[in-house]
Amino acid sequence: MTTSKCYEVNFDGLVGLTHNYAGLSFGNVASSSHGGLMSSPRAAALQGLDKMMALHRLGLKQAVLPPQERPHIPTLRKLGFSANSDSEVISNVAKTAPHILASVCSASSMWVANAATISPFADTSDGNTHITPANLSSMFHRSIEIETTSRVLRSIFSGEDFVHHDPLPGGSAYSDEGAANHTRFCNEYGDEGVEFFVYGSSKANLASAPEKFPARQTLAACQAIARSHGLIPERTVFAQQNPQAIDAGVFHNDVIAVGNRDLLFYHEEAFSNNVQVAEQLNAAFANSELSLIEVPKAKVNLEDAVASYLFNSQLVSIPKTDGATIIVPTECRENDSVHNYLNQLELEHPAINQVKYFDLRQSMNNGGGPACLRLRVVMSDEQINNCQANIFLSDELYEKLKQWIESHYRESLVPEDLADPALLDECRRALQELSVLLNLGSVYDFQLN
Ligand code: SUG
């Protein structure tokens, strides 16, 4: 057990050079409705970086995770696109299977809330921090993130007090989408917490599954992670998502609920049984009181919650400030019912200090809001100081990353551009430079082979 001060560090995914709209995620309403439109990788990356910098300036610990190599040639070769050169591979797939090219070009690793489930040392029976990369097996374009994600996480969290597990075995039974369906409650970040896992489907209750859209997280996956992380059963809660919410576009729990410290902010229709969830969480939270803000559907209906991403917000505790700051996308200001609700919350609720709006439109158009872009890791001062990677945001790193984006990223991309072999070279050149800047070692396939 550590005696040094502990923080919640927000690791944000940098948007990749191939950020594009390909309509790949069935059940993610924004992804489906923007498929085929023009994207702006440069604007997307700068929007994400500006959010990171704003949180850093608020006094929070902010770090960055790198994008992945796309198009992903090793996946294309595994799928039988064989040619002598990588550019021939791209031209073959572009001619015969453009939908496969779109999948291996997705910059989806930016949504690092899906990178892994992380249980900090305070919650685990061996006192180590346990990390399980998500298998992302419900979406092909996301399942190809796992290997690089694992290498990046091992490079950053390299101390002996980090235990890296393999992703769960693939297939529908153990479909796992990481921290997007996992929250932790605690008093101080270094205190023993309650871990809360939310799943979309379970074998035991097949009758209560969504009808229209896929459930992307199973109970079996949540239980396997809780087991291998050595979590204490009395302080671990599993809850089912409301299948109607999934059918309304809530493809991850973080589209309808968010927690931080002793606060849970969620929609009336978030879970199959909200009352039971509140009781179980309160029982697990034992000696302290949990603060629950349940948003009634009469004030914000499911459709507005999904369109605005009100719950894909970040609840953060700014040093020396009472109450949480809520980081929301600007879409929340454009939706009347959501905006009115947030104004009221800011004025009246003692648990909420202020609301801050961020323009993340490029990511939002693919269904990725503020919370999707970040992975939370509780770290002690000691762990932060021991980290060899140069990933903690500072004024200097911000300037370097900004310059890096401005010199390497394209202004715009349309689906046809994915067939341009120059894009692969641009991506590799940029990532080579980035991995040196962030001191990550060799984490990309093109660096290893
Ligand atoms: O997996 N969108 C991502 C969005 C992930 C959001 N993450 C969280 N809620 N934590 C997904 O559905 C769209 C890609 C495209 O269509 O081009 C996409 O992968």
Side-chain angles (χ1 to χ4, degrees), residues 301-321:
N301 63 31
L302 261 185
E303 199 187 329
D304 286 340
V306 171
S308 67
Y309 260 39
L310 167 63
F311 297 94
N312 199 258
S313 46
Q314 289 177 255
L315 292 172
V316 291
S317 305
I318 294 174
K320 303 194 184 73
T321 308

Side-chain angles (χ1 to χ4, degrees), residues 389-390 430-442 444 447:
N390 178 32
L431 295 184
Q432 177 58 34
E433 204 178 303
L434 183 72
S435 57
V436 173
L437 172 62
L438 302 182
N439 196 25
L440 293 172
S442 298
Y444 297 114
Q447 296 174 319

